[in-house]
Amino acid sequence: MNPFNTETEKQYFYLDKCKEHVIELARQLGRTPTACVTTFGCQMNARDSEKLVGILQQVGYQVIEEETADFVIFNTCTVRDNANQKVYGRLGKLKSTKRKIPHMKVALCGCMMQEPSAIEKIRKSYSFVNLVFGTHNIFKFAELLYGTFVQDRMLVDVWEDTDQIVEDLPCTRKYPFKSGINIMFGCNNFCSYCIVPYVRGRERSREPKDILAEIKALVADGVVEVMLLGQNVNSYGKTLSTPMTFAQLLTEIEKIEGLKRIRFMTSHPKDLSEELIQVMKASNKICKHLHLPLQSGSTRILEAMNRRYTKEQYLALAKHIKEEIPDIALTTDIIVGFPGETSEDIDETIDVIKQVGYENAFTFIYSKRTGTPAAAMPNQVSEEWVKTEFERVLKTVQETARLTVGKYEGTSQEVLVEEINEQDSTLVSGRMSNNTIVHFKGDASLIGTLVDVYLDECHGFYYMGHRI
Ligand code: 5AD
Ligand code: SF4
């Protein structure tokens, strides 16, 4: 019989058990045990890592940045093969660190662990790893961590899927003033190149009441900006027992007093509704930024990618959004080198980049992901061709972005100050509502506040300014 009423209760039980072991470890070491969480990949992973840090701190670890800690966990990504290669590279290093620190425990979690081939390789070549778990059971981290205290052999717990959403577990934010919030998990789109639906599972939305309660608590704790996270936020709410649209959810979030800015990511163009555009237009809090992945400007390639829109539909949507919300910044993702792609297809992509005028575009070289339909397509393109075409796309992105980003030069804009500038400590760095980065003279007391900044000069993707 399960003695726990809820999964959350069960995890708090294990959290307490872990505490006892960490106290014992501290006694043996003569100091507070340390832990390090290294994150690869997207904002979803960054948010998951905050949950891992929350649990590690609650059980008594001091969380540090160095991978020489007593407990090291990699939260992995697998969207492109180079993400996997990075993890193997870092694991190689950990192997020699662990030789010097034999009591060190190593754990792996995240998207890459959902791939059977990765697990096989880890068992074979990295047998020093203590714990492996996946994306679907991350809520079990306290229980799994306890497992590493009571058993010596590698503990592997990876689930194929889940419909569970476990609420109210600990979480430690990286920034006091802003936070990511998961509003949904998984993806049902199955773009033909993408591994995400296989490693993150089917789409499921959190209940609006849980999302609103979490944001209210965050605001009470000093958060002024939230980033609503989902692989395809535009289809939020479809799986709820009482369905709700993403636009309706935004309207509710907007009402939260004290919350200043709302961002979200990512939007699939095929699901972007007129209702959402109108809610964004009317809102004082939703930031003037929309990340709208294009992937390709060629209708032929878009069809092979299973994106379910044409070049013309995308262009019409972008034009309409800009007409309705003139000061909105559009950013995008582009893939170069999809199977069967030709220079004519790239010309179409370049044409869209020029017509839309993105503030920024993340350009990726196509990476073949085992198990996806695109990996089985016969007409994979040559590496050499991809390199040249990639450069051509990148150049267009840089040229157009410079013009688009620069149009606010000589105006003053509200900036949320995020940090001391990494290169020059007399400067602070923050973001405009449209997500453009601004650097200006200031000190740590400004972090987390909204200030008016005059934009003196645009340097490509960012501005130098001064406070007014
Ligand atoms: N190869 C290259 N880029 C990819 N992306 C997703 N899958 C692949 C792949 N197999 C990109 C898409 C997506 C972004 C998060 O990653 O552009 O929008
Ligand atoms: Fe991948 Fe497409 Fe889902 Fe985005 S929408 S996560 S690209 S399958």
Side-chain angles (χ1 to χ4, degrees):
M1 208 188 83
N2 184 349
F4 306 106
N5 291 320
T6 64
E7 185 61 40
T8 308
E9 206 180 292
K10 183 174 173 192
Q11 293 310 314
Y12 273 93
F13 167 80
Y14 282 108
L15 221 136
D16 284 338
K17 304 272 278 182
C18 285
K19 274 184 197 166
E20 293 165 17
H21 284 271
V22 176
I23 289 170
E24 172 56 21
L25 184 61
R27 200 188 54 73
Q28 287 169 15
L29 295 172
R31 59 170 171 82
T32 308
T34 55
C36 170
V37 180
T38 303
T39 311
F40 300 84
C42 67
Q43 311 220 24
M44 286 272 193
N45 265 17
R47 181 65 178 157
D48 283 346
S49 286
E50 292 186 340
K51 297 175 187 170
L52 300 173
V53 169
I55 287 173
L56 287 165
Q57 285 180 334
Q58 283 245 335
V59 303
Y61 281 101
Q62 182 196 353
V63 174
I64 61 169
E65 307 261 312
E66 290 75 35
E67 286 170 14
T68 47
D70 302 307
F71 183 90
V72 176
I73 180 162
F74 287 174
N75 188 4
T76 65
C77 167
T78 188
V79 73
R80 285 168 290 275
D81 186 55
N82 57 7
N84 294 43
Q85 295 315 319
K86 262 192 225 164
V87 169
Y88 290 130
R90 295 280 274 276
L91 268 178
K93 269 196 197 154
L94 271 192
K95 195 174 188 167
S96 52
T97 315
K98 195 167 167 167
R99 257 187 236 122
K100 284 177 226 146
I101 315 173
H103 74 269
M104 177 185 202
K105 285 197 190 322
V106 176
L108 299 171
C109 68
C111 294
M112 194 175 140
M113 299 307 120
Q114 293 296 139
E115 286 182 283
S117 58
I119 304 289
E120 214 176 293
K121 186 163 172 167
I122 289 156
R123 281 195 200 274
K124 222 166 92 191
S125 309
Y126 304 94
S127 55
F128 65 91
V129 169
N130 303 86
L131 168 66
V132 176
F133 58 100
T135 55
H136 303 301
N137 57 348
I138 188 170
F139 65 82
K140 265 184 79 175
F141 179 48
E143 185 177 344
L144 295 166
L145 181 63
Y146 173 71
T148 69
F149 289 119
V150 294
Q151 82 170 47
D152 268 342
R153 61 188 171 79
M154 187 191 290
L155 175 59
V156 179
D157 190 0
V158 178
W159 298 4
E160 269 185 25
D161 208 345
T162 184
D163 52 8
Q164 244 174 311
I165 296 179
V166 181
E167 299 285 347
D168 300 323
L169 291 172
C171 184
T172 301
R173 295 195 307 279
K174 189 169 173 201
Y175 298 94
F177 57 89
K178 70 170 183 179
S179 180
I181 317 278
N182 298 110
I183 63 164
M184 60 198 299
F185 302 92
C187 180
N188 285 354
N189 284 319
F190 291 96
C191 299
S192 64
Y193 50 82
C194 188
I195 201 165
V196 168
Y198 306 91
V199 297
R200 287 266 174 188
R202 293 295 62 72
E203 188 180 292
R204 53 211 183 277
S205 297
R206 279 179 75 195
E207 287 293 334
K209 68 167 179 23
D210 293 329
I211 297 170
L212 291 166
E214 184 178 350
I215 300 178
K216 281 179 193 160
L218 287 167
V219 170
D221 195 38
V223 164
V224 290
E225 178 179 297
V226 289
M227 165 76 89
L228 311 177
L229 299 169
Q231 247 78 38
N232 179 15
V233 293
N234 294 331
S235 68
Y236 171 81
K238 287 184 185 156
T239 56
L240 294 170
S241 50
T242 318
M244 177 185 216
T245 64
F246 179 53
Q248 286 167 338
L249 177 71
L250 281 171
T251 307
E252 292 307 309
I253 295 174
E254 173 109 15
K255 292 179 194 155
I256 297 175
E257 232 173 281
L259 181 65
K260 302 272 173 54
R261 281 182 167 185
I262 305 167
R263 298 187 184 278
F264 54 85
M265 161 103 82
T266 285
S267 293
H268 194 306
K270 79 172 164 59
D271 296 316
L272 198 135
S273 67
E274 183 60 29
E275 185 195 14
L276 174 64
I277 298 172
Q278 294 312 320
V279 165
M280 286 183 82
K281 184 177 175 176
S283 167
N284 293 319
K285 296 185 181 176
I286 303 173
C287 288
K288 301 285 185 258
H289 172 217
L290 193 63
H291 186 67
L292 199 60
L294 168 68
Q295 313 301 1
S296 166
S298 156
T299 298
R300 192 179 72 84
I301 294 294
L302 285 169
E303 203 183 329
M305 286 177 162
N306 191 30
R307 290 290 290 175
R308 286 172 278 173
Y309 53 83
T310 63
K311 176 188 183 187
E312 289 68 32
Q313 284 168 333
Y314 185 98
L315 281 172
L317 177 65
K319 183 163 173 262
H320 177 60
I321 294 168
K322 286 199 162 188
E323 277 165 4
E324 291 293 311
I325 315 167
D327 49 353
I328 197 158
L330 295 181
T331 56
T332 203
D333 291 340
I334 291 165
I335 296 176
V336 177
F338 186 81
E341 201 165 32
T342 64
S343 297
E344 285 70 48
D345 295 312
I346 301 290
D347 288 343
E348 302 268 12
T349 300
I350 287 179
D351 184 46
V352 177
I353 298 170
K354 286 183 176 160
Q355 286 200 47
V356 174
Y358 295 105
E359 251 78 357
N360 204 352
F362 302 94
T363 311
F364 305 108
I365 288 178
Y366 167 73
S367 171
K368 190 173 167 179
R369 309 310 288 125
T370 309
T372 62
M377 291 180 186
N379 40 5
Q380 306 283 323
V381 297
S382 88
E383 242 176 69
E384 226 166 288
W385 177 84
V386 173
K387 265 192 198 145
T388 329
E389 296 299 305
F390 182 82
E391 287 306 319
R392 208 153 66 90
V393 173
L394 202 64
K395 198 164 151 256
T396 316
V397 168
Q398 283 162 349
E399 283 167 6
T400 53
R402 177 172 275 274
L403 296 175
T404 321
V405 175
K407 68 186 174 205
Y408 298 101
E409 203 172 274
T411 67
S412 52
Q413 301 287 334
E414 196 178 52
V415 171
L416 175 62
V417 183
E418 297 197 340
E419 58 202 359
I420 297 286
N421 186 293
E422 278 177 20
Q423 265 96 48
D424 180 346
S425 61
T426 67
L427 300 178
V428 289
S429 305
R431 281 171 201 272
M432 291 162 42
S433 164
N434 79 0
N435 212 33
T436 300
I437 291 177
V438 184
H439 308 292
F440 61 100
K441 285 259 177 261
D443 57 40
S445 68
L446 294 176
I447 293 174
T449 65
L450 285 155
V451 293
D452 286 326
V453 178
Y454 184 85
L455 305 178
D456 295 304
E457 208 181 2
C458 176
H459 294 242
F461 292 108
Y462 66 91
Y463 277 103
M464 296 303 298
H466 67 270
R467 202 175 162 197
I468 48 173

